[in-house]
Amino acid sequence: MKIMEIEGGRELSGTIRISGAKNATVALIPAAILSDEEVTICNIPEITDTTALCDILKELKVDVKRASESIIINPRNMQNIEIKEEYSKKLRASYYFMGALLGKYKKASMYFPGGCSIGARPIDLHLKGFEALGATVTNEKNKYTVEAKELHGANIYLDIASVGATINIMLAAIKAKGTTVIDNAAKEPEIVNVATFLNNMGAKITGAGTSTIKIVGVDYLHQCFHEVIPDRIEAGTYLIIGSLCGNPLKIDNIIPEHIESLTSKLEEMGVDLEIGRDYIIVSNYGKKRPTNIKTAVYPGFPTDLQQPFTVLQTQCSGKSKTTETIWENRFMHIPYLRDLGADITVKNQTATIIGPTPLKGTNVVATDLRAGAAMVSAALVANGKTTITNVEHILRGYENIVEKLSNVGAKITLKEI
Ligand code: UD1
């Protein structure tokens, strides 16, 4: 088991370079198997979710080479083997193999995916989409088999603008006969990045980034070179950390437009920001005003930044509110923030935070990936030592977090116990 120890209360200054987006990478790697030739993807983050997906590729006899930040995937000799539970349960995004295998072989067989316990996380919209394309779905003891004689284009309306369902249906529809239209599609930048990758391979996708995506099926997908976009959630996390203890902190290699919902909230709070073309400089100067947030689908305030943002709200002068609308169980960080000294109450899906409260180091748990990011943010601003357990969750999504924070002056260590 790994633990993280942080001596908080230090000012952080310097530059943090943002890595490739986790939520794009975890879709791009399964998407790569749709190619009939070798593909190269660069700016791949070195996180455990990437390793878990490469392990699945190897199980499917796909040739995978990793070099620095790139990955070369050659699916020429791959086999459509059932994905075992020990692989699928390591991460949520293993379910993208369902759409990709269905698209390529007209059959996919795998166990229910794992991932953070932040809500029920059903996959009914994914399965309904596959059925609309002509597949039948069977579910037996947690194992899903999705198959079709032939996939055909369809008009699909998503009841919820789900990121996962949008991408998975796109993957399944790429080689279907005819045209598929996904309405009420999710609009997240990661979806645009995946669609661009597929188009680079020869797919015909238009409308990614809007609520209507059109996919005209093709027979063959060829080699290509693709780059993962910068991780807007990692960037947002370090911006929040910079707002707590930056003196100043430059968050580099980002697309500022992707995090406008966060930067406008930071500006509303009175946080000092200098927004450049591909960087933001942030400092913790002066008092912060209380601010309310409500999570929403992109371009709304991202649910994945809600947990670290709560930490910032504890340092504002007055009453702030956070309402979570996407996941039913995303306040698991609150009891640990209270242990650190925060004044927070939760009623239904809204947390009320009274600040500013000084935070004091103690023992806390990273209950899920972004709750872990909240614990790191809180520990950095807290006085004294904080020990975080279950840090495996954090390492699933934040590349080199210990090195990145140490390089700007944090006292942070990762220990194996
Ligand atoms: C993705 C992100 C995750 C982020 C979330 C919302 C990845 C790997 N993960 O997760 O970090 O928090 O988007 O921005 O990209 N739903 C259904 N049925 C379905 C699918 C989803 O009811 O078949 C519901 C979910 O329970 C949830 C909402 O739709 O309430 C949004 O989920 P979705 O956008 O699918 O999230 P993920 O793709 O799992």
Side-chain angles (χ1 to χ4, degrees):
M1 189 175 83
K2 288 189 173 73
I3 61 162
M4 211 177 253
E5 286 178 349
I6 298 176
E7 285 283 345
R10 298 162 72 98
E11 289 184 335
L12 306 182
S13 52
T15 300
I16 293 182
R17 190 174 190 282
I18 297 307
S19 305
K22 164 191 166 287
N23 286 352
T25 301
V26 297
L28 290 166
I29 293 175
I33 65 158
L34 279 159
S35 177
D36 296 286
E37 300 176 10
E38 181 177 279
V39 294
T40 303
I41 311 171
C42 70
N43 203 28
I44 293 273
E46 185 70 50
I47 48 176
T48 53
D49 269 11
T50 305
T51 313
L53 289 168
C54 288
D55 288 345
I56 297 180
L57 289 180
K58 286 177 199 153
E59 269 291 293
L60 298 172
K61 314 289 180 218
V62 176
D63 189 18
V64 188
K65 287 192 208 98
R66 305 240 4 223
S68 173
E69 289 176 347
S70 296
I71 185 168
I72 302 167
I73 298 174
N74 191 338
R76 275 211 178 124
N77 300 320
M78 80 175 279
Q79 294 168 20
N80 190 11
I81 298 167
E82 176 183 299
I83 299 172
K84 296 189 200 116
E85 192 161 22
E86 64 185 277
Y87 292 102
S88 64
K89 76 175 183 197
K90 284 202 177 145
L91 74 169
R92 190 79 196 154
S94 57
Y95 60 30
Y96 289 132
F97 278 104
M98 230 186 246
L101 289 169
L102 178 66
K104 188 172 180 120
Y105 294 106
K106 316 288 172 266
K107 181 172 177 178
S109 191
M110 66 173 287
Y111 283 81
F112 196 78
C116 291
S117 304
I118 50 180
R121 309 199 81 173
I123 56 167
D124 56 309
L125 299 173
H126 305 231
L127 302 177
K128 269 196 210 163
F130 299 151
E131 284 171 341
L133 296 170
T136 52
V137 178
T138 46
N139 176 11
E140 206 188 318
K141 287 192 190 148
N142 230 13
K143 186 175 92 180
Y144 286 87
T145 303
V146 190
E147 56 190 321
K149 275 209 178 74
E150 188 180 85
L151 294 172
H152 52 75
N155 290 341
I156 298 166
Y157 177 84
L158 296 178
D159 295 331
I160 302 171
S162 151
V163 175
T166 302
I167 294 179
N168 233 343
I169 295 167
M170 219 160 65
L171 298 179
I174 293 297
K175 288 187 167 180
K177 295 261 174 293
T179 301
T180 299
V181 177
I182 310 175
D183 265 320
N184 196 29
K187 296 185 274 203
E188 272 68 359
E190 293 75 21
I191 293 167
V192 180
N193 199 224
V194 174
T196 306
F197 173 55
L198 294 165
N199 282 343
N200 287 345
M201 289 199 270
K204 289 186 179 160
I205 304 171
T206 49
T210 75
S211 52
T212 303
I213 300 179
K214 189 169 148 190
I215 305 137
V216 179
V218 295
D219 291 330
Y220 191 86
L221 294 170
H222 52 72
Q223 59 86 28
C224 78
F225 180 86
H226 181 75
E227 187 170 349
V228 184
I229 50 167
D231 195 315
R232 63 193 168 97
I233 305 302
E234 188 199 16
T237 305
Y238 287 121
L239 266 179
I240 291 168
I241 289 173
S243 310
L244 287 162
C245 31
N247 184 26
L249 204 55
K250 180 177 183 184
I251 315 300
D252 204 10
N253 185 42
I254 62 170
I255 301 175
E257 295 76 31
H258 287 177
I259 41 173
E260 268 174 3
S261 57
L262 171 66
T263 49
S264 61
K265 281 290 163 187
L266 294 177
E267 280 168 342
E268 197 181 303
M269 279 176 156
V271 173
D272 190 43
L273 295 180
E274 179 194 321
I275 303 180
R277 197 179 58 81
D278 62 353
Y279 69 86
I280 299 178
I281 298 174
V282 58
S283 320
N284 169 35
Y285 300 148
K287 269 188 167 182
K288 287 173 205 69
R289 290 183 286 274
T291 309
N292 299 337
I293 58 160
K294 190 173 189 178
T295 62
V297 294
Y298 188 83
F301 194 95
T303 168
D304 289 356
L305 286 175
Q306 175 264 104
Q307 291 152 301
F309 195 81
T310 320
V311 180
L312 191 53
Q313 289 171 310
T314 70
Q315 301 307 302
C316 295
S317 308
K319 181 158 88 175
S320 299
K321 284 186 187 241
T322 283
T323 302
E324 172 60 51
T325 70
I326 313 279
W327 301 112
E328 321 82 89
N329 197 16
R330 222 169 195 185
F331 282 135
M332 287 192 293
H333 58 307
I334 302 292
Y336 296 106
L337 290 183
R338 278 200 208 110
D339 290 348
L340 285 156
D343 179 352
I344 309 179
T345 47
V346 178
K347 197 167 173 210
N348 302 323
Q349 284 300 91
T350 298
T352 303
I353 305 108
I354 311 284
T357 47
L359 302 182
K360 191 169 174 297
T362 185
N363 296 336
V364 295
V365 181
T367 53
D368 57 76
L369 169 59
R370 307 303 172 186
M375 291 306 118
V376 172
S377 309
L380 287 168
V381 78
N383 280 316
K385 184 168 113 181
T386 297
T387 302
I388 309 174
T389 50
N390 279 21
V391 290
E392 280 77 7
H393 283 300
I394 303 172
L395 304 179
R396 281 191 34 228
Y398 288 89
E399 182 181 52
N400 293 338
I401 185 167
V402 172
E403 292 79 356
K404 285 186 186 188
L405 286 169
S406 300
N407 287 344
V408 294
K411 212 166 167 210
I412 170 169
T413 49
L414 193 63
K415 284 189 183 160
E416 189 82 51
I417 56 162

